[in-house]
């Protein structure tokens, strides 16, 4: 969704699930339980919700999931968000997915995002999109790696629109903590399951980044961060997870990162 809310103390409340799609679940060996997600868990409480699986998508149907979210982050204060996850499949093609979200914060920030991977018939074309529209006041800490979170903090107000971009999320530091003309960023992550039905999983991750200094134009300092997280299967058809990560950076920096989908 927002493809990421980082470095925060956050509470998240899933209020409602809506699934569209029908079909019989695929039979798996007794030693391998069928995969489940939050929609399946919701059906245990509300049996009238329709089942959803990849077989239904092959018959031209769609899987749709709506997730209302409330939370708090360091850069947004309170935030209310609606996330939408959709999956569908065209003849002889890979599964197409769309993850979109809209959020409004107590800092008067408006954030609209949509990421998609749409496959044409017979996989002839793959249309990959990343749309972002933001009205986003936030603090900036200056340029370079030798900046402080308490000194020279400046309020910045900007309008932001881009089509198809990738965004770095350094879990362990507040958004925009390090800025410079050039950026080097790397991250690695190990993912593994916690339950046999694949409802819950976990990750451990580590990253490092550096920006060039304004005067020298050189990379002079590298800051590392690391952490771990929990994964909850939101939609097993589109393989979309709710990500809850906690990262640790240098100089006591730490925080919670919430995301619908993976960071990369």
């Amino acid at each position: 969704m927002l493809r990421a809310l980082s470095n925060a103390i956050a509470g998240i409340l899933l209020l409602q699930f809506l699934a569209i799609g029908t079909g019989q679940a695929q039979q798996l060996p007794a030693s391998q339980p069928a995969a489940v997600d939050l929609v399946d868990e919701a059906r245990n409480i509300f049996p009238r919700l329709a089942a959803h699986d990849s077989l239904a998508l092959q018959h031209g149907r769609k899987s749709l999931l709506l997730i209302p979210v409330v939370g708090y982050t360091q850069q947004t204060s309170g935030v209310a968000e609606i996330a939408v996850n959709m999956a569908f499949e065209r003849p002889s093609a890979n599964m197409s997915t769309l993850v979109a979200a809209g959020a409004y914060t107590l800092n008067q920030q408006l954030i609209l995002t949509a990421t998609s991977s749409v496959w044409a018939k017979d996989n002839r074309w793959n249309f990959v999109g990343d749309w972002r529209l933001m009205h986003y006041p936030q603090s900036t800490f200056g340029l370079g790696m030798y900046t402080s979170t308490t000194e020279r903090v400046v309020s910045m107000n900007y309008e932001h629109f881009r089509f198809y971009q990738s965004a770095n999320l350094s879990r362990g530091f507040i958004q925009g903590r390090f800025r410079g003309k050039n950026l080097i960023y790397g991250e690695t992550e190990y993912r593994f399951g916690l339950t046999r039905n694949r409802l819950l999983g976990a990750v451990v991750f580590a990253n490092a980044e550096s920006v060039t200094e304004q005067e020298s134009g050189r990379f002079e300092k590298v800051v590392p961060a690391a952490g771990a997280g929990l994964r909850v299967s939101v939609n097993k058809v589109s393989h979309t997870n709710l990500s809850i990560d906690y990262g640790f950076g240098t100089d006591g920096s730490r925080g919670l990162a919430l995301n619908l989908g993976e960071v990369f």
Side-chain angles (χ1 to χ4, degrees):
M1 127 123 203
L2 290 168
R3 302 268 295 23
L5 296 174
S6 67
N7 297 297
I9 301 172
I12 185 167
L13 178 61
L14 302 183
L15 301 175
Q16 172 185 353
F17 302 98
L18 173 62
I20 301 177
T22 59
Q24 299 297 319
Q26 296 178 345
Q27 298 297 319
L28 297 175
S31 60
Q32 183 180 0
V36 300
D37 57 21
L38 288 181
V39 175
D40 296 318
E41 294 300 311
R43 290 185 69 240
N44 293 331
I45 303 174
F46 306 103
R48 292 185 178 182
L49 284 177
H52 69 152
D53 56 28
S54 58
L55 181 62
L57 302 186
Q58 294 174 1
H59 290 85
R61 297 186 177 91
K62 298 179 177 64
S63 173
L64 177 66
L65 180 65
L66 303 179
I67 310 175
V69 179
V70 294
Y72 175 89
T73 74
Q74 194 172 350
Q75 62 263 27
T76 64
S77 186
V79 58
E81 175 184 344
I82 295 291
V84 180
N85 178 259
M86 185 174 68
F88 59 93
E89 193 169 355
R90 292 176 175 171
S92 304
N94 295 335
M95 187 180 304
S96 297
T97 59
L98 169 66
V99 178
Y104 190 77
T105 78
L106 292 182
N107 288 343
Q108 298 181 344
Q109 298 155 328
L110 175 64
I111 310 167
L112 304 174
T113 63
T115 59
S116 60
S117 178
V118 178
W119 291 88
K121 183 179 179 180
D122 299 321
N123 289 333
R124 293 179 178 177
W125 296 91
N126 180 215
F127 301 96
V128 179
D130 187 336
W131 293 79
R132 299 166 189 248
L133 177 62
M134 300 181 185
H135 170 73
Y136 201 92
Q138 68 171 134
S139 297
T140 183
F141 304 90
L143 299 177
M145 302 300 297
Y146 302 101
T147 56
S148 169
T149 55
T150 59
E151 301 176 359
R152 296 188 302 158
V153 178
V154 178
S155 178
M156 179 178 62
N157 189 1
Y158 70 91
E159 311 293 336
H160 174 76
F161 172 76
R162 286 192 181 181
F163 167 69
Y164 191 69
Q165 72 165 37
S166 60
N168 289 321
L169 172 64
S170 181
R171 289 169 287 181
F173 294 98
I174 189 172
Q175 179 181 329
R177 175 64 182 84
F178 300 106
R179 296 178 182 271
K181 184 176 181 180
N182 301 292
L183 166 73
I184 294 179
Y185 178 85
E187 182 159 4
T188 184
E189 181 176 273
Y190 178 70
R191 303 167 184 171
F192 55 95
L194 292 179
T195 59
R196 294 181 64 199
N197 62 8
R198 288 166 279 179
L199 176 64
L200 298 178
V203 303
V204 291
F205 58 87
N207 60 63
E209 66 179 306
S210 179
V211 300
T212 52
E213 300 302 319
Q214 186 174 11
E215 294 184 0
S216 68
R218 296 194 301 266
F219 294 101
E220 299 182 5
K221 181 181 178 181
V222 177
V223 292
L230 178 69
R231 297 293 180 269
V232 182
S233 177
V234 174
N235 191 330
K236 65 185 180 184
V237 179
S238 60
H239 305 290
T240 301
N241 294 324
L242 173 66
S243 304
I244 307 172
D245 298 324
Y246 197 85
F248 299 85
T250 57
D251 299 325
S253 179
R254 64 187 63 190
L256 189 69
L258 305 178
N259 189 40
L260 184 62
E262 301 296 338
V263 174
F264 60 91

